[in-house]
Amino acid sequence: MLAGNPNVGKSVIFNYLSGRYADVSNFPGTTLEISNSRWQGHVLTDSPGVNGLNRLNDEERIAEQAVEGADIVINVIDATRLRRDLYLTLQLIASKPTVIVLNMIDEAERDGLKIDVFALSRALGVPVIPAAAVDGRGLAELVNILNSWCRDLPRGVVRELAAKAELRAHASALANNVQSRRRHKGVGLLDLLLTRPLPGLPVMLAVLAAIYWLIGGVVAQQVVELTEGVIMERWLLPPLVRLLSQILPPGLLQSLLVGEFGILTMALSYGIGLLLPLVFSFYLLLALLEDSGYLPRVAVLLDNTFRPLGLNGKGAIPLILGFGCVTMAVIATRMLSSRRERLILTFLLGLAVPCSAQVGVIIMLLIPLGYKWVLAYGAMLVAIFLLAGRILNRVLGGSSPGLFLELPRLRLPRPGNVLRKSYVKSKNFLREALPLFALGAGIVTILNWTGTLSTLQQALMPLTEGWLGLPAESVNAFIMGIIRRDFGAAGLFGLNLAANQTFVALMVMTLFVPCIATVLVTIKEQGLAVALTMWAGSLAVAVFVGGLLALVI
């Protein structure tokens, strides 16, 4: 198995050995899920990046379990951060046969850092291979060692050292003994600017604004209009629907496949025509930010802001994704370090984060009423987001782990890695999401076929008219919002609502149950009981806030 600190290049070596692509990222935590493959008949495992085996978070617990089950450990070390990485190295050597890959040796050399590899290997009692994994340097030597290795390696010296010293102090002393620097490398000016509130926060806001403009403006409107409105709904689906309508007899099966909410007419169009361009574009931009080393700096800048919500700065990344697609953002909460954090952020995403498609419709409805309504809408969502986060932080027991990371160097993104990562993540998203969309379409079709949807509309009318002050027909818009959030908001156009009614309806629509794709993905990520609890919570908040707004305005 491969083990190492975050951002040391484990996944690059995993790809080389296995021939299979794994996530390569400059943001800690993105390899939280263990990747498995085969290497010459043996199981090859890529474990999460961790700073130690101290069971302080989910990554360390998973990595420790992987180490316990391994026969041989390939410990990947960042040559530019030797003092930090050797702490984990000493823990690994004391428990398992270990070979060390001293990666990024080329960057260390450019920084004027010289490492005595022979002295390091002699002190640790294990092989140490200098490598530059992205260029393939040293990897052939690693393969030769793995081919010739046996399990019984001399580890007695290291075991004694581990027993006698405090490990971090020993790691620091060892690093001082085997490395020297020909010239001092100062902190770059750009790095200083990005890691301080000024101008770090304005730069971050500008980056996020550019992302949102590209995704919400260019992709969500122009690209999706082509992929969904033209390619899917004009070219591909109509002939397919006509063909199946002629082949299949009228009835439930035909409705399930090509009906109003059919698997082909809704799930396929929604998943490929609408979501795929958004997903790929987001992953492409995210990969650029990851590969450049900028995302950890965003996490540092926002860490204090997220603390009162029971989160740390890592939560900024799924939140950013949520403004493009909440379903995708729920999947991205995997990068958070604890289940507690994932629970909090998943609920907040479903409650108070409108996706880009929904935002476009909301803005179209609010702008004719005046910008004060737009500002009021944004302010209400922010207030509810913050209040709900603080409440969840108090109600859920325990505390979230602190943000512990060492900033990777800033570098130009590698185009091949960026494109490969975006492709694989998008493919994985479709593989996970399309079956869920199909299931959701089937459920809605059956509800419609049996008349349950009409019954539900009638049952909700008293609540809609009496408490929310909205016409009974708005129930249809809310139900459509469960199927697809922008459809629900668009359903308010023909209701001739007053300004205050429009505002109330849009707030309820945003806080209401997230779309069925998000609900199904939440079930997959958190389990049925937790997902239903979140669903009920969102519904309760939406109805309560909507009723209060109807009374006040």
Side-chain angles (χ1 to χ4, degrees), residues 384-552:
I384 292 170
F385 183 92
L386 296 177
L387 179 61
R390 292 183 69 92
I391 292 174
L392 288 172
N393 188 29
R394 288 181 175 272
V395 170
L396 295 178
S399 60
S400 298
L403 181 66
F404 180 75
L405 57 85
E406 191 166 353
L407 298 180
R409 65 175 59 232
L410 292 168
R411 56 167 66 92
L412 289 175
R414 298 181 178 91
N417 186 46
V418 168
L419 291 173
R420 197 161 55 242
K421 181 188 301 184
S422 305
Y423 165 75
V424 169
K425 285 188 174 182
S426 300
K427 181 180 69 175
N428 290 340
F429 174 83
L430 283 182
R431 186 173 58 194
E432 293 181 341
L434 280 181
L436 297 177
F437 297 158
L439 175 62
I443 292 172
V444 173
T445 298
I446 292 173
L447 292 177
N448 187 46
W449 179 266
T450 58
T452 306
L453 279 182
S454 300
T455 302
L456 187 60
Q457 293 173 9
Q458 296 295 323
L460 291 177
M461 281 181 184
L463 178 64
T464 307
E465 293 180 326
W467 174 245
L468 299 177
L470 299 173
E473 294 80 5
S474 60
V475 172
N476 296 335
F478 293 142
I479 293 176
M480 285 302 299
I482 300 176
I483 300 171
R484 185 168 149 177
R485 300 185 92 179
D486 55 322
F487 280 5
L492 302 174
F493 272 108
L495 298 182
N496 296 319
L497 301 178
N500 62 327
Q501 289 179 309
T502 300
F503 183 79
V504 170
L506 289 176
M507 285 302 305
V508 173
M509 185 73 66
T510 304
L511 301 173
F512 195 59
V513 178
C515 71
I516 193 167
T518 301
V519 172
L520 293 172
V521 168
T522 303
I523 292 173
K524 180 179 182 298
E525 296 291 313
Q526 300 291 346
L528 179 61
V530 173
L532 292 179
T533 302
M534 291 182 177
W535 191 351
S538 295
L539 180 59
V541 171
V543 173
F544 178 72
V545 170
L548 289 182
L549 288 176
L551 293 175
V552 172

Side-chain angles (χ1 to χ4, degrees), residues 5 50-56 59-60 63 87-88 91 168:
N5 285 59
V50 294
N51 297 293
L53 301 179
N54 305 312
R55 304 183 69 86
L56 296 178
E59 289 103 325
E60 292 193 1
Y87 173 70
L88 173 62
Q91 290 182 306
R168 290 196 186 277

Side-chain angles (χ1 to χ4, degrees), residues 77-86 102 115 175 178-179:
I77 294 177
D78 182 349
T80 66
R81 305 181 190 275
L82 194 60
R83 182 175 288 103
R84 177 200 69 176
D85 289 13
L86 283 177
L102 189 62
I115 299 175
V178 300
Q179 70 179 0

Side-chain angles (χ1 to χ4, degrees), residues 193-202 301:
L193 295 176
L194 293 177
T195 54
R196 294 182 177 180
L198 287 176
L201 287 175
L301 284 171

